[in-house]
PDB file of all heavy atoms in Angstrom:
ATOM      1  N   ILE A 413      49.990 143.135  64.010  1.00 88.00           N
ATOM      2  CA  ILE A 413      50.589 141.797  64.029  1.00 88.00           C
ATOM      3  C   ILE A 413      51.014 141.382  62.625  1.00 88.00           C
ATOM      4  O   ILE A 413      52.085 140.806  62.429  1.00 88.00           O
ATOM      5  CB  ILE A 413      49.578 140.782  64.611  1.00 88.00           C
ATOM      6  CG1 ILE A 413      49.310 141.105  66.082  1.00 88.00           C
ATOM      7  CG2 ILE A 413      50.097 139.356  64.466  1.00 88.00           C
ATOM      8  CD1 ILE A 413      48.205 140.266  66.700  1.00 88.00           C
ATOM      9  N   ALA A 414      50.169 141.691  61.620  1.00 85.00           N
ATOM     10  CA  ALA A 414      50.521 141.374  60.227  1.00 85.00           C
ATOM     11  C   ALA A 414      51.787 142.111  59.808  1.00 85.00           C
ATOM     12  O   ALA A 414      52.647 141.556  59.094  1.00 85.00           O
ATOM     13  CB  ALA A 414      49.357 141.742  59.306  1.00 85.00           C
ATOM     14  N   ILE A 415      51.940 143.364  60.261  1.00 80.00           N
ATOM     15  CA  ILE A 415      53.141 144.138  59.931  1.00 80.00           C
ATOM     16  C   ILE A 415      54.378 143.490  60.546  1.00 80.00           C
ATOM     17  O   ILE A 415      55.421 143.353  59.896  1.00 80.00           O
ATOM     18  CB  ILE A 415      52.974 145.586  60.424  1.00 80.00           C
ATOM     19  CG1 ILE A 415      51.931 146.316  59.581  1.00 80.00           C
ATOM     20  CG2 ILE A 415      54.318 146.344  60.368  1.00 80.00           C
ATOM     21  CD1 ILE A 415      51.543 147.675  60.137  1.00 80.00           C
ATOM     22  N   VAL A 416      54.268 143.075  61.801  1.00 85.00           N
ATOM     23  CA  VAL A 416      55.404 142.420  62.474  1.00 85.00           C
ATOM     24  C   VAL A 416      55.794 141.141  61.738  1.00 85.00           C
ATOM     25  O   VAL A 416      56.987 140.869  61.524  1.00 85.00           O
ATOM     26  CB  VAL A 416      55.043 142.125  63.942  1.00 85.00           C
ATOM     27  CG1 VAL A 416      56.087 141.200  64.583  1.00 85.00           C
ATOM     28  CG2 VAL A 416      54.948 143.423  64.736  1.00 85.00           C
ATOM     29  N   LEU A 417      54.815 140.351  61.335  1.00 86.00           N
ATOM     30  CA  LEU A 417      55.108 139.114  60.600  1.00 86.00           C
ATOM     31  C   LEU A 417      55.765 139.408  59.254  1.00 86.00           C
ATOM     32  O   LEU A 417      56.659 138.678  58.798  1.00 86.00           O
ATOM     33  CB  LEU A 417      53.829 138.309  60.400  1.00 86.00           C
ATOM     34  CG  LEU A 417      53.184 137.739  61.675  1.00 86.00           C
ATOM     35  CD1 LEU A 417      51.881 137.025  61.340  1.00 86.00           C
ATOM     36  CD2 LEU A 417      54.148 136.786  62.380  1.00 86.00           C
ATOM     37  N   THR A 418      55.340 140.498  58.610  1.00 80.00           N
ATOM     38  CA  THR A 418      55.931 140.880  57.329  1.00 80.00           C
ATOM     39  C   THR A 418      57.387 141.288  57.503  1.00 80.00           C
ATOM     40  O   THR A 418      58.253 140.921  56.692  1.00 80.00           O
ATOM     41  CB  THR A 418      55.144 142.041  56.704  1.00 80.00           C
ATOM     42  OG1 THR A 418      53.778 141.642  56.525  1.00 80.00           O
ATOM     43  CG2 THR A 418      55.729 142.438  55.352  1.00 80.00           C
ATOM     44  N   ILE A 419      57.669 142.048  58.554  1.00 79.00           N
ATOM     45  CA  ILE A 419      59.053 142.436  58.838  1.00 79.00           C
ATOM     46  C   ILE A 419      59.909 141.197  59.084  1.00 79.00           C
ATOM     47  O   ILE A 419      61.038 141.086  58.594  1.00 79.00           O
ATOM     48  CB  ILE A 419      59.109 143.377  60.057  1.00 79.00           C
ATOM     49  CG1 ILE A 419      58.345 144.667  59.781  1.00 79.00           C
ATOM     50  CG2 ILE A 419      60.556 143.713  60.414  1.00 79.00           C
ATOM     51  CD1 ILE A 419      58.217 145.582  60.986  1.00 79.00           C
ATOM     52  N   ALA A 420      59.366 140.239  59.846  1.00 85.00           N
ATOM     53  CA  ALA A 420      60.104 139.012  60.136  1.00 85.00           C
ATOM     54  C   ALA A 420      60.400 138.234  58.859  1.00 85.00           C
ATOM     55  O   ALA A 420      61.511 137.723  58.665  1.00 85.00           O
ATOM     56  CB  ALA A 420      59.305 138.150  61.118  1.00 85.00           C
ATOM     57  N   ALA A 421      59.406 138.150  57.974  1.00 83.00           N
ATOM     58  CA  ALA A 421      59.603 137.408  56.720  1.00 83.00           C
ATOM     59  C   ALA A 421      60.672 138.070  55.858  1.00 83.00           C
ATOM     60  O   ALA A 421      61.511 137.384  55.246  1.00 83.00           O
ATOM     61  CB  ALA A 421      58.277 137.323  55.964  1.00 83.00           C
ATOM     62  N   SER A 422      60.678 139.399  55.806  1.00 77.00           N
ATOM     63  CA  SER A 422      61.688 140.083  54.993  1.00 77.00           C
ATOM     64  C   SER A 422      63.079 139.886  55.582  1.00 77.00           C
ATOM     65  O   SER A 422      64.066 139.789  54.845  1.00 77.00           O
ATOM     66  CB  SER A 422      61.356 141.576  54.891  1.00 77.00           C
ATOM     67  OG  SER A 422      61.404 142.205  56.155  1.00 77.00           O
ATOM     68  N   ALA A 423      63.190 139.798  56.922  1.00 80.00           N
ATOM     69  CA  ALA A 423      64.485 139.550  57.552  1.00 80.00           C
ATOM     70  C   ALA A 423      65.008 138.164  57.184  1.00 80.00           C
ATOM     71  O   ALA A 423      66.198 137.996  56.868  1.00 80.00           O
ATOM     72  CB  ALA A 423      64.363 139.687  59.068  1.00 80.00           C
ATOM     73  N   VAL A 424      64.117 137.167  57.211  1.00 85.00           N
ATOM     74  CA  VAL A 424      64.520 135.803  56.869  1.00 85.00           C
ATOM     75  C   VAL A 424      64.979 135.728  55.413  1.00 85.00           C
ATOM     76  O   VAL A 424      66.033 135.139  55.100  1.00 85.00           O
ATOM     77  CB  VAL A 424      63.358 134.821  57.114  1.00 85.00           C
ATOM     78  CG1 VAL A 424      63.691 133.437  56.556  1.00 85.00           C
ATOM     79  CG2 VAL A 424      63.067 134.725  58.605  1.00 85.00           C
ATOM     80  N   PHE A 425      64.223 136.327  54.504  1.00 78.00           N
ATOM     81  CA  PHE A 425      64.578 136.268  53.082  1.00 78.00           C
ATOM     82  C   PHE A 425      65.901 136.982  52.817  1.00 78.00           C
ATOM     83  O   PHE A 425      66.766 136.467  52.086  1.00 78.00           O
ATOM     84  CB  PHE A 425      63.464 136.897  52.243  1.00 78.00           C
ATOM     85  CG  PHE A 425      63.762 136.908  50.765  1.00 78.00           C
ATOM     86  CD1 PHE A 425      63.558 135.770  49.997  1.00 78.00           C
ATOM     87  CD2 PHE A 425      64.254 138.045  50.144  1.00 78.00           C
ATOM     88  CE1 PHE A 425      63.852 135.767  48.638  1.00 78.00           C
ATOM     89  CE2 PHE A 425      64.544 138.058  48.795  1.00 78.00           C
ATOM     90  CZ  PHE A 425      64.342 136.909  48.030  1.00 78.00           C
ATOM     91  N   THR A 426      66.068 138.165  53.401  1.00 74.00           N
ATOM     92  CA  THR A 426      67.300 138.928  53.180  1.00 74.00           C
ATOM     93  C   THR A 426      68.502 138.182  53.729  1.00 74.00           C
ATOM     94  O   THR A 426      69.565 138.122  53.095  1.00 74.00           O
ATOM     95  CB  THR A 426      67.188 140.311  53.845  1.00 74.00           C
ATOM     96  OG1 THR A 426      66.050 140.992  53.311  1.00 74.00           O
ATOM     97  CG2 THR A 426      68.426 141.150  53.573  1.00 74.00           C
ATOM     98  N   GLY A 427      68.374 137.601  54.922  1.00 81.00           N
ATOM     99  CA  GLY A 427      69.485 136.864  55.513  1.00 81.00           C
ATOM    100  C   GLY A 427      69.850 135.638  54.698  1.00 81.00           C
ATOM    101  O   GLY A 427      71.042 135.364  54.464  1.00 81.00           O
ATOM    102  N   TRP A 428      68.839 134.909  54.248  1.00 81.00           N
ATOM    103  CA  TRP A 428      69.102 133.706  53.444  1.00 81.00           C
ATOM    104  C   TRP A 428      69.806 134.070  52.136  1.00 81.00           C
ATOM    105  O   TRP A 428      70.758 133.391  51.723  1.00 81.00           O
ATOM    106  CB  TRP A 428      67.772 133.011  53.154  1.00 81.00           C
ATOM    107  CG  TRP A 428      67.913 131.794  52.272  1.00 81.00           C
ATOM    108  CD1 TRP A 428      68.272 130.534  52.644  1.00 81.00           C
ATOM    109  CD2 TRP A 428      67.724 131.758  50.854  1.00 81.00           C
ATOM    110  NE1 TRP A 428      68.310 129.700  51.557  1.00 81.00           N
ATOM    111  CE2 TRP A 428      67.981 130.424  50.442  1.00 81.00           C
ATOM    112  CE3 TRP A 428      67.359 132.711  49.898  1.00 81.00           C
ATOM    113  CZ2 TRP A 428      67.877 130.040  49.116  1.00 81.00           C
ATOM    114  CZ3 TRP A 428      67.252 132.317  48.575  1.00 81.00           C
ATOM    115  CH2 TRP A 428      67.514 130.998  48.193  1.00 81.00           C
ATOM    116  N   THR A 429      69.379 135.126  51.478  1.00 74.00           N
ATOM    117  CA  THR A 429      69.996 135.549  50.224  1.00 74.00           C
ATOM    118  C   THR A 429      71.441 135.971  50.440  1.00 74.00           C
ATOM    119  O   THR A 429      72.329 135.669  49.626  1.00 74.00           O
ATOM    120  CB  THR A 429      69.205 136.711  49.601  1.00 74.00           C
ATOM    121  OG1 THR A 429      67.824 136.339  49.473  1.00 74.00           O
ATOM    122  CG2 THR A 429      69.746 137.068  48.228  1.00 74.00           C
ATOM    123  N   ALA A 430      71.711 136.683  51.535  1.00 75.00           N
ATOM    124  CA  ALA A 430      73.069 137.150  51.815  1.00 75.00           C
ATOM    125  C   ALA A 430      74.002 135.969  52.086  1.00 75.00           C
ATOM    126  O   ALA A 430      75.145 135.928  51.600  1.00 75.00           O
ATOM    127  CB  ALA A 430      73.062 138.098  53.005  1.00 75.00           C
ATOM    128  N   VAL A 431      73.541 134.991  52.868  1.00 82.00           N
ATOM    129  CA  VAL A 431      74.369 133.812  53.157  1.00 82.00           C
ATOM    130  C   VAL A 431      74.649 133.034  51.880  1.00 82.00           C
ATOM    131  O   VAL A 431      75.776 132.555  51.639  1.00 82.00           O
ATOM    132  CB  VAL A 431      73.667 132.912  54.204  1.00 82.00           C
ATOM    133  CG1 VAL A 431      74.384 131.578  54.332  1.00 82.00           C
ATOM    134  CG2 VAL A 431      73.607 133.618  55.557  1.00 82.00           C
ATOM    135  N   ASP A 432      73.643 132.901  51.028  1.00 76.00           N
ATOM    136  CA  ASP A 432      73.822 132.200  49.753  1.00 76.00           C
ATOM    137  C   ASP A 432      74.875 132.880  48.894  1.00 76.00           C
ATOM    138  O   ASP A 432      75.712 132.206  48.268  1.00 76.00           O
ATOM    139  CB  ASP A 432      72.488 132.149  49.010  1.00 76.00           C
ATOM    140  CG  ASP A 432      72.608 131.442  47.672  1.00 76.00           C
ATOM    141  OD1 ASP A 432      72.856 130.228  47.658  1.00 76.00           O
ATOM    142  OD2 ASP A 432      72.459 132.129  46.633  1.00 76.00           O
TER     143      ASP A 432
END
Side-chain angles (χ1 to χ4, degrees):
I413 294 173
I415 290 171
V416 169
L417 294 177
T418 301
I419 298 173
S422 63
V424 171
F425 179 81
T426 302
W428 177 82
T429 306
V431 170
D432 180 67

